């Protein structure tokens, strides 16, 4: 295994809008982030992934970029940015920029020109087609709207948008588009950034001829068919070209966000010999509680399935590398979704952290996860800021769901759950802002906040700190092999990491009831390296008793036969 900083490190995801507001306008900003570098150092992370900070009308919270070389007014200036890079680097923290190149904002000058006339030199930068029989060019649905096409008056054609209509898709088949993007990426690299998280990078090519999908239409009458726009062969060609033009020979990281990848389609993206990406975010685990109609259809799942997904991904990228995460800015809060955000909030958050950080790959911490922040008890639609939830609120009823079902789904899966302001202390607005926060603060900030978590030595924060420190001190966490254990057990996650002769056994009760598990009998426990409960571990005749959400990391040895 080749060692690289991005394999050794733990990445902390900063959603800048909600991290820390330095000037009281209710919106987190770069100066606020600069003020909190000490906090990141205290936690011990080696890199941050910064959600988009480019100029944007914020139709999709920065994922609609209207100037690739500018900073959003309310977030800061280029001078702030340079200072941030300088100060992060001084403290040994790398910066991974989020970059959106599948689409732009409709307010980016390229699109303004493109829509102005059919003969404009930027016309072909986007995907324009004539309508068919007074309707859209094809039956594709978008992520956020019924149809993926928007009719544009000035030239009488439709443009393609896989997300909102203010996010037109770039035409990657146009060489000039690609050249502009590589130039822009190099411009940021020259400013000192250490890598990119490339938004929906596996969607940049679309099916030849943009044919109708013949899969079943949704309630809207349009078809959401990822085969039409995800993982098409040309994506690999473009990524190799990007690598050669941007990444080759530089010690930076390329992380792809790749919805709809499977363990089969993923390995090519991250195979070191292919020279495309270094790691990807895959979403099989995030989709585990989603039904066939998508994320809003919430279904139950069993631990078996979750373990099967984990193990398959752990073993499927022989020349690649995994990104490990329980949450991000698009997902519910980890402890609310996979743990227990009530009685066992602390213990279950630590259990989840243990299970994730001990796996092979690079762990990502989403801001607030390290203090066990929870989903938001939203009260009404006026509290919602996220376009996806707003659209679903309107459209959801027409899918046959009741109003209550729609609301419940938003409470559980809405993206604003993760985007509420960071809870720094128990003062007004959790100390996030002195003004009115752009999105409401979770009312539980009085008890769940950074100050309290730092003060309590037994807190989730200190547990994360310990995990991060362990990773620095123990190459087994980075390089060790992975073997799944107790695959049939329905309550316990168990696996082994091994590096040279060192073996670590990870055991975690995933549920809120006491369980027993049969220890793999040929391993002898030599030492306990980490645990989320104060009590000694209970073992009798190779049976281990685990309290709700109890988790352990043991040093083990092969038993002498
Ligand atoms: O998300 C891409 C993506 O696949 C989303 O549809 C994701 O599945 C969804 O948000 C889950 O509800 C990226 C960004 O992370 C997201 O914030 C953007 O809205 C999206 O791309 C468009 O740029
Ligand atoms: Ca601000």
């Amino acid at each position: 295994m080749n060692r690289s900083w991005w394999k050794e490190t733990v990445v902390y995801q900063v959603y800048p809008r909600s991290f820390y507001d330095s000037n009281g306008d209710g919106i987190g900003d770069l100066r606020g982030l600069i003020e909190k570098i000490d906090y990141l150092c205290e936690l011990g992370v080696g890199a941050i992934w910064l959600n988009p900070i480019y100029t944007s009308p914020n139709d999709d919270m920065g994922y609609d970029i209207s100037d690739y070389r500018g900073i959003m007014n309310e977030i800061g200036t280029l001078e702030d940015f340079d200072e941030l890079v300088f100060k992060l680097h001084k403290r040994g923290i790398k910066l991974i920029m989020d970059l959106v190149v599948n689409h732009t904002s409709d307010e980016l000058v390229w699109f303004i020109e493109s829509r102005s006339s059919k003969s404009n030199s930027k016309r072909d930068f986007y995907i324009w087609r004539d309508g068919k029989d007074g309707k859209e060019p094809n039956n594709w649905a978008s992520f956020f709207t019924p149809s993926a096409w928007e009719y544009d008056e000035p030239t009488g054609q439709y443009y393609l948008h896989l997300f909102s209509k203010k996010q037109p898709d770039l035409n990657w088949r146009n060489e000039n588009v690609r050249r502009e993007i590589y130039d822009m990426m190099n411009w940021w690299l020259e400013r000192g950034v250490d890598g990119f998280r490339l938004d929906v990078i596996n969607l940049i090519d679309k099916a030849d001829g943009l044919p109708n999908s013949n899969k079943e239409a949704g309630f809207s009458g349009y078809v959401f068919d990822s085969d039409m726009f995800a993982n098409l062969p040309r994506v690999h060609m473009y990524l190799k070209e990007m690598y050669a033009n941007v990444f080759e020979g530089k010690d930076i990281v390329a992380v792809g966000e790749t919805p709809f990848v499977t363990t089969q389609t993923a390995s090519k993206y991250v195979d070191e010999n292919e020279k495309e990406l270094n790691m990807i975010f895959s979403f099989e685990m995030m989709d585990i509680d989603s039904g066939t109609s998508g994320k809003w259809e919430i279904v139950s799942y069993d631990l078996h399935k979750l373990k099967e997904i984990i193990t398959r991904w752990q073993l499927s990228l022989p020349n690649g590398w995994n990104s490990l995460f329980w949450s991000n800015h698009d997902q519910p809060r980890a402890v609310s979704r996979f743990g227990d955000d009530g009685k066992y909030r602390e213990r279950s958050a630590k259990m989840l952290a243990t299970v994730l950080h001990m796996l092979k790959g690079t762990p990502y911490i989403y801001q607030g996860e390290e203090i066990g922040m929870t989903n938001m008890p939203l009260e009404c639609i006026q509290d919602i800021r996220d376009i996806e939830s707003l659209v679903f609120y309107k459209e959801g009823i027409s899918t046959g769901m009741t109003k209550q079902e729609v609301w419940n789904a938003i409470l559980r899966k809405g993206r604003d759950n993760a985007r509420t302001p960071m809870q720094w202390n128990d003062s007004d607005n959790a100390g996030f802002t002195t003004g009115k926060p752009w999105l409401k603060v979770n009312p539980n900030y009085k008890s769940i906040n950074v100050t309290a978590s730092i003060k309590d030595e037994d807190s989730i924060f200190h547990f994360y700190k310990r995990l991060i420190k362990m990773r620095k001190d123990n190459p087994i966490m980075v390089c060790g092999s992975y073997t799944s254990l107790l695959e049939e057990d329905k309550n316990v996650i168990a696996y082994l990491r091994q590096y040279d002769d060192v073996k670590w056994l990870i055991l975690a009760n995933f549920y809120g009831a006491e369980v027993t598990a049969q220890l793999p009998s040929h391993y002898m426990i030599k030492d306990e390296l980490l645990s989320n409960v104060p009590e000694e571990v209970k073992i009798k005749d190779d049976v281990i008793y685990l309290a709700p959400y109890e988790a352990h990391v043991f040093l083990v040895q092969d038993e002498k036969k």
Side-chain angles (χ1 to χ4, degrees):
M1 190 192 103
N2 296 326
R3 296 186 74 160
S4 325
W5 66 266
W6 45 266
K7 292 182 183 171
E8 318 259 331
T9 201
V10 172
V11 183
Y12 186 87
Q13 184 187 347
V14 173
Y15 194 74
R17 229 186 152 66
S18 298
F19 197 56
Y20 186 59
D21 174 20
S22 69
N23 62 354
D25 67 354
I27 299 171
D29 44 55
L30 294 181
R31 302 224 62 84
L33 174 51
I34 291 171
E35 284 183 44
K36 295 296 183 186
I37 292 178
D38 282 347
Y39 174 70
L40 302 173
C41 289
E42 168 77 22
L43 186 58
V45 295
I48 61 172
W49 150 23
L50 190 58
N51 281 103
I53 55 167
Y54 315 88
T55 311
S56 165
N58 283 313
D59 190 53
D60 184 21
M61 293 306 158
Y63 284 91
D64 45 327
I65 299 174
S66 57
D67 178 2
Y68 278 115
R69 289 178 169 82
I71 308 284
M72 200 187 296
N73 282 333
E74 54 269 53
I75 298 272
T77 63
L78 275 175
E79 287 68 47
D80 298 334
F81 180 81
D82 291 341
E83 188 180 324
L84 173 70
V85 174
F86 179 78
K87 291 192 164 159
L88 284 171
H89 284 171
K90 218 168 77 186
R91 309 292 294 275
I93 299 177
K94 307 256 189 192
L95 174 63
I96 301 169
M97 293 278 276
D98 207 325
L99 186 63
V100 192
V101 292
N102 172 69
H103 45 272
T104 72
S105 164
D106 65 340
E107 297 180 31
L108 180 75
V109 59
W110 298 346
F111 189 75
I112 295 173
E113 286 190 30
S114 183
R115 83 187 333 170
S116 69
S117 90
K118 285 188 179 173
S119 58
N120 187 280
S121 64
K122 296 282 189 300
R123 181 64 170 183
D124 193 44
F125 267 43
Y126 295 85
I127 302 168
W128 293 96
R129 291 291 184 277
D130 286 326
K132 277 205 182 110
D133 314 319
K135 285 183 63 187
E136 293 84 1
N138 67 30
N139 63 359
W140 297 5
S142 95
F143 283 75
F144 294 160
T145 56
S147 168
W149 295 93
E150 182 70 13
Y151 181 73
D152 207 45
E153 202 71 52
T155 54
Q157 281 192 315
Y158 291 80
Y159 63 86
L160 180 74
H161 61 89
L162 290 183
F163 293 89
S164 94
K165 66 177 185 196
K166 284 182 68 64
Q167 294 169 293
D169 281 56
L170 283 165
N171 176 16
W172 271 73
R173 296 200 182 184
N174 181 328
E175 203 189 319
N176 295 326
V177 167
R178 306 202 301 272
R179 197 166 304 139
E180 289 275 1
I181 287 170
Y182 307 149
D183 278 357
M184 174 269 293
M185 292 173 78
N186 280 312
W187 186 86
W188 284 105
L189 287 178
E190 277 156 30
R191 280 203 114 85
V193 313
D194 304 290
F196 295 99
R197 175 266 189 196
L198 296 159
D199 192 63
V200 290
I201 198 65
N202 59 331
L203 310 191
I204 56 180
D205 193 43
K206 323 295 186 240
D208 271 333
L210 310 177
N212 271 324
S213 164
N214 43 33
K215 297 214 171 109
E216 201 191 323
F219 285 92
S220 63
Y222 299 92
V223 188
F224 189 78
D225 181 359
S226 62
D227 290 345
M228 294 291 144
F229 54 73
N231 302 314
L232 291 156
R234 274 192 177 78
V235 174
H236 294 288
M237 203 170 98
Y238 299 147
L239 285 176
K240 285 182 178 22
E241 187 184 75
M242 180 188 284
Y243 189 95
N245 282 278
V246 181
F247 298 112
E248 186 100 69
K250 299 174 197 152
D251 189 20
I252 58 173
V253 69
V255 189
E257 191 221 16
T258 52
F260 316 110
V261 287
T262 61
T263 37
Q264 279 96 45
T265 53
S267 53
K268 194 171 163 73
Y269 289 117
V270 292
D271 188 316
E272 290 183 355
N273 307 316
E274 297 283 343
K275 299 191 167 193
E276 296 187 7
L277 299 166
N278 299 118
M279 51 181 153
I280 53 164
F281 288 111
S282 62
F283 292 93
E284 226 183 313
M285 192 144 89
M286 293 294 116
D287 293 336
I288 194 164
D289 54 1
S290 301
T292 46
S293 72
K295 68 180 270 182
W296 301 118
E297 183 190 343
I298 302 170
V299 301
S300 57
Y301 63 90
D302 58 28
L303 188 64
H304 241 209
K305 182 161 175 214
L306 190 117
K307 292 200 289 187
E308 188 276 318
I309 293 173
I310 290 178
T311 296
R312 189 156 34 78
W313 280 94
Q314 285 287 295
L315 301 178
S316 296
L317 308 174
N319 298 313
W321 194 249
N322 273 297
S323 310
L324 311 168
F325 65 106
W326 282 121
S327 177
N328 63 33
H329 65 292
D330 292 333
Q331 303 292 335
R333 286 284 173 182
V335 70
S336 299
R337 186 185 197 178
F338 296 108
D340 171 358
D341 61 8
K343 183 170 171 202
Y344 292 116
R345 186 182 65 88
E346 301 233 352
R347 202 192 289 166
S348 66
K350 292 174 188 171
M351 179 278 289
L352 291 170
T354 306
V355 169
L356 192 93
H357 284 241
M358 290 294 155
L359 289 170
K360 188 168 185 170
T362 298
Y364 287 73
I365 301 171
Y366 178 67
Q367 74 180 37
E369 180 187 316
E370 77 282 14
I371 56 166
M373 278 176 63
T374 67
N375 276 355
M376 175 73 177
L378 288 166
E379 276 162 19
C380 58
I381 184 73
Q382 283 74 25
D383 291 347
I384 293 176
R385 295 288 171 274
D386 175 30
I387 182 171
E388 187 191 43
S389 295
L390 290 170
V391 170
F392 174 63
Y393 187 79
K394 272 198 269 163
E395 315 277 334
I397 310 262
S398 60
T399 69
M401 288 170 101
T402 67
K403 224 175 165 162
Q404 195 56 47
E405 283 168 343
V406 167
W407 187 248
N408 287 344
I410 291 175
L411 281 181
R412 283 185 55 191
K413 289 278 196 76
R415 304 194 296 182
D416 284 337
N417 278 311
R419 300 177 182 183
T420 62
M422 181 72 178
Q423 294 164 206
W424 293 103
N425 55 48
D426 64 3
S427 70
D428 286 355
N429 294 315
F432 161 71
T433 179
T434 54
K436 185 176 181 307
W438 71 278
L439 175 67
K440 276 193 181 163
V441 174
N442 194 312
N444 63 19
Y445 72 90
K446 292 270 177 199
S447 57
I448 301 175
N449 63 64
V450 168
T451 305
S453 219
I454 290 182
K455 213 180 285 165
D456 171 9
E457 275 188 17
D458 205 28
S459 68
I460 302 170
F461 176 85
H462 287 286
F463 195 86
Y464 269 87
K465 224 178 123 166
R466 214 168 308 148
L467 278 168
I468 295 167
K469 172 83 168 43
M470 276 175 90
R471 187 179 183 86
K472 289 177 188 158
D473 298 341
N474 295 282
I476 186 174
M477 283 175 74
V478 181
C479 312
S481 63
Y482 168 95
T483 312
S484 70
L485 299 170
L486 304 186
E487 285 184 346
E488 298 309 317
D489 194 290
K490 289 198 160 49
N491 304 300
V492 175
I493 295 190
Y495 58 87
L496 192 79
R497 297 291 305 275
Q498 177 168 1
Y499 185 59
D500 293 335
D501 309 333
V502 186
K503 293 192 178 88
W504 285 13
L505 171 67
I506 292 83
L507 268 185
N509 177 0
F510 204 73
Y511 293 107
E514 189 182 280
V515 297
T516 56
Q518 185 71 38
L519 276 184
S521 60
H522 53 291
Y523 298 124
M524 219 160 55
I525 294 179
K526 299 306 284 179
D527 197 5
E528 175 163 271
L529 305 173
L530 184 76
S531 142
N532 65 350
V533 292
E535 297 83 24
E536 282 263 306
V537 57
K538 271 180 285 168
I539 306 175
K540 222 180 178 182
D541 305 329
D542 283 344
V543 173
I544 181 161
Y545 293 78
L546 295 171
Y549 301 108
E550 181 169 343
H552 295 275
V553 179
F554 296 119
L555 177 70
V556 293
Q557 239 174 34
D558 284 335
E559 199 156 29
K560 288 196 201 79
K561 289 271 149 72

